[in-house]
Amino acid sequence: MSIKEIHYAWVTLGIAIAMRLVSSIERTASGVLVAYLVDPAGEFGWSRSVVGLALSLQWIFSGVFGPPAGWLGDRYGLRRTMAVGALLFIAVSMLIGLVTAPWQFILYFGILMSAALAIFQVPLITAVTVWFHKHLGVAMGLLQSAQGLANLLFAPLMVVLLTELGWRWAFWLPGLAGGLLLLLLIRFFYNEPAEMGLRPLGADHRAPIRQVQSGPVARVRTKVFLQQARRTAVFWNLIGIHYWGCAGHAIIIVYLADMVRAQGLSLATAALVGGTMFGVSSFTRFAVPIVADRMGSKVAMALCFFLQAMPILLLFWAHEAWQFYLFAVLFGIGFGGEMSAFPIINRQYYGNAPTGTVYGWQMLGAGIGMASGAFLGGVLRDLTGAYTLALLCSFVLSLTGAVSILVLPTTAHHQMPEWEASLPPEARATTAARRAASPGS
């Protein structure tokens, strides 16, 4: 196959993966930052509660900014919206490098950076889904695995930057280089195949190319679908599941490096343990969407939640490096897969409905969950002087998510097959055209 025969869906996916990697440079090093900022012998020596608050606010506002970021993408186009996000990424990175007080870290890292990162989460993922009629599981697996790869690459990099160049350049260098690379990649990204006169990958070649869905019609379709989706138990349960899972693993992600340091091991070892965990998670982030796409998401997600919970028991007795590495491998298996199937289960429950806002609500649950875990873990550690109670909370939260998945309905049937009947006439005409253009019509 020549380069000209490669569908632009794969190019779009490659661009999206690069964007996820670049925009994750600073967030993925959160565990390393905690160990660095709370070190009494270091340049800051802040409490875990303060650092945990900043991380919690970042996750909360990443979720809060998710729906507005999606709206901006719909209203002004994703390319313009992401360009604003890239410029904001550069500016806030410069500010973080100048931090000298806790309130500055809370404001810059905890709140302002969230606005930039939100643009490269919800809208980016939902935009990629419209490019694939076939191989959606493979595409989502590759895109989701990029998050694990980011942690594997950037946590050790942050250790090197902090120890060799200091705090300021640890943020200035990735901020400038990463932001400029984002601006370059945006030039080659398109919201949907119709903008290039193409059909989605796997669509019937005899079908006419769909019209670009934008403007008032797209907003009406999104509004009507969301109104009906909110009336279902599935809509709220999926938000809750994302909350339970993220709250459970946030405690581990944020404080694992500090747990390793507490046993007298080095910051480099702590970073390698975290890198191992995220490296293993990259495999399941890739595999689970494929399994979910072909066999259904419910069982795959429940199994991953269970596998996220059980390895936590090892941390109650871990003291040596090999024990932490063993935990990292086992935990990474479940942690990587528990969140990567959400775009797939949305497609299985809602078909080709405009699910961007629905996914935005799920990411809001994830953001609040990450915030809850990050803050709760730090507070419990400061109050008790140990991580025992925090680990117990992480275990219970993950098991709660597993139980919540088991009560979901089967993914073999759409939950709202007739939702388009409530559309106004002008949107129904567009719907009819889209149906005529779909494969098998």
Side-chain angles (χ1 to χ4, degrees):
M1 178 181 293
S2 66
I3 295 178
K4 292 182 178 180
E5 294 175 323
I6 297 176
H7 196 284
Y8 204 81
W10 296 114
V11 178
T12 299
L13 176 62
I15 295 171
I17 290 173
M19 287 181 177
R20 287 292 296 272
L21 284 170
V22 172
S23 63
S24 299
I25 290 176
E26 294 168 2
R27 168 177 285 178
T28 52
S30 58
V32 173
L33 292 180
V34 170
Y36 185 84
L37 291 170
V38 303
D39 186 356
E43 60 179 304
F44 294 100
W46 297 339
S47 72
R48 292 171 179 82
S49 298
V50 169
V51 179
L53 176 60
L55 297 175
S56 297
L57 289 174
Q58 185 186 88
W59 285 109
I60 287 176
F61 281 94
S62 291
V64 170
F65 289 138
W71 179 86
L72 287 171
D74 291 338
R75 178 65 179 83
Y76 298 104
L78 190 55
R79 295 175 72 179
R80 291 183 180 180
T81 304
M82 288 194 299
V84 173
L87 293 173
L88 186 60
F89 178 81
I90 295 174
V92 177
S93 296
M94 299 299 102
L95 289 175
I96 296 174
L98 298 175
V99 162
T100 57
W103 72 265
Q104 295 172 330
F105 184 69
I106 291 172
L107 175 61
Y108 304 154
F109 189 85
I111 299 177
L112 296 182
M113 182 58 76
S114 304
L117 297 179
I119 293 171
F120 297 97
Q121 293 177 6
V122 177
L124 185 62
I125 290 179
T126 54
V128 170
T129 61
V130 304
W131 280 86
F132 291 86
H133 274 194
K134 291 183 179 180
H135 308 303
L136 177 61
V138 174
M140 283 296 102
L142 290 170
L143 182 57
Q144 299 284 18
S145 65
Q147 190 66 37
L149 181 61
N151 286 272
L152 178 63
L153 295 175
F154 298 139
L157 174 61
M158 184 58 72
V159 172
V160 173
L161 292 175
L162 287 171
T163 55
E164 299 297 328
L165 301 180
W167 176 266
R168 178 171 297 182
W169 282 103
F171 284 92
W172 282 6
L173 190 59
L176 283 170
L180 293 175
L181 182 57
L182 286 172
L183 290 172
L184 176 63
L185 291 171
I186 289 167
R187 294 176 58 87
F188 303 97
F189 190 89
Y190 295 88
N191 291 333
E192 54 183 292
E195 292 184 355
M196 299 184 68
L198 298 174
R199 301 173 184 84
L201 178 65
D204 189 343
H205 68 278
R206 298 167 297 180
I209 296 175
R210 297 177 180 179
Q211 288 184 320
V212 177
Q213 296 298 302
S214 60
V217 171
R219 287 194 290 272
V220 168
R221 288 175 57 82
T222 300
K223 179 180 179 181
V224 171
F225 170 72
L226 185 61
Q227 287 174 341
Q228 296 192 38
R230 285 175 175 171
R231 299 171 187 161
T232 66
V234 168
F235 174 85
W236 299 105
N237 195 12
L238 286 173
I239 296 173
I241 290 167
H242 226 343
Y243 171 85
W244 300 121
C246 287
H249 67 235
I251 295 174
I252 304 300
I253 292 174
V254 174
Y255 297 104
L256 180 60
D258 194 43
M259 296 178 197
V260 175
R261 292 293 306 278
Q263 299 303 319
L265 301 172
S266 68
L267 181 61
T269 299
L272 288 174
V273 169
T276 300
M277 178 180 69
F278 284 106
V280 173
S281 76
S282 296
F283 172 76
T284 46
R285 287 173 191 263
F286 170 73
V288 168
I290 299 175
V291 174
D293 188 33
R294 297 179 180 179
M295 304 177 61
S297 303
K298 183 176 176 180
V299 174
M301 291 174 66
L303 179 61
C304 288
F305 267 72
F306 181 76
L307 293 176
Q308 175 178 283
M310 299 312 295
I312 295 173
L313 299 176
L314 294 174
L315 289 179
F316 287 99
W317 298 279
H319 298 288
E320 299 181 22
W322 72 266
Q323 295 170 322
F324 286 107
Y325 282 116
L326 176 61
F327 164 80
V329 171
L330 296 176
F331 183 83
I333 295 173
F335 156 63
E338 64 91 357
M339 59 187 295
S340 59
F342 275 86
I344 305 299
I345 201 170
N346 286 337
R347 174 70 67 88
Q348 291 169 345
Y349 276 151
Y350 303 122
N352 291 322
T355 57
T357 308
V358 169
Y359 188 60
W361 278 90
Q362 292 165 7
M363 289 301 294
L364 176 60
I368 296 175
M370 291 296 297
S372 300
F375 183 65
L376 184 62
V379 170
L380 291 176
R381 170 60 178 80
D382 284 346
L383 289 176
T384 64
Y387 279 109
T388 302
L389 193 54
L391 290 174
L392 181 61
C393 287
S394 177
F395 179 78
V396 172
L397 287 165
S398 294
L399 282 185
T400 302
V403 173
S404 299
I405 293 171
L406 293 177
V407 302
L408 285 171
T410 177
T411 56
H413 307 289
H414 289 175
Q415 294 300 298
M416 298 161 47
E418 303 298 329
W419 74 271
E420 292 175 300
S422 301
L423 290 170
E426 63 273 17
R428 291 178 190 173
T430 302
T431 299
R434 294 182 65 186
R435 284 178 174 169
S438 63
S441 60

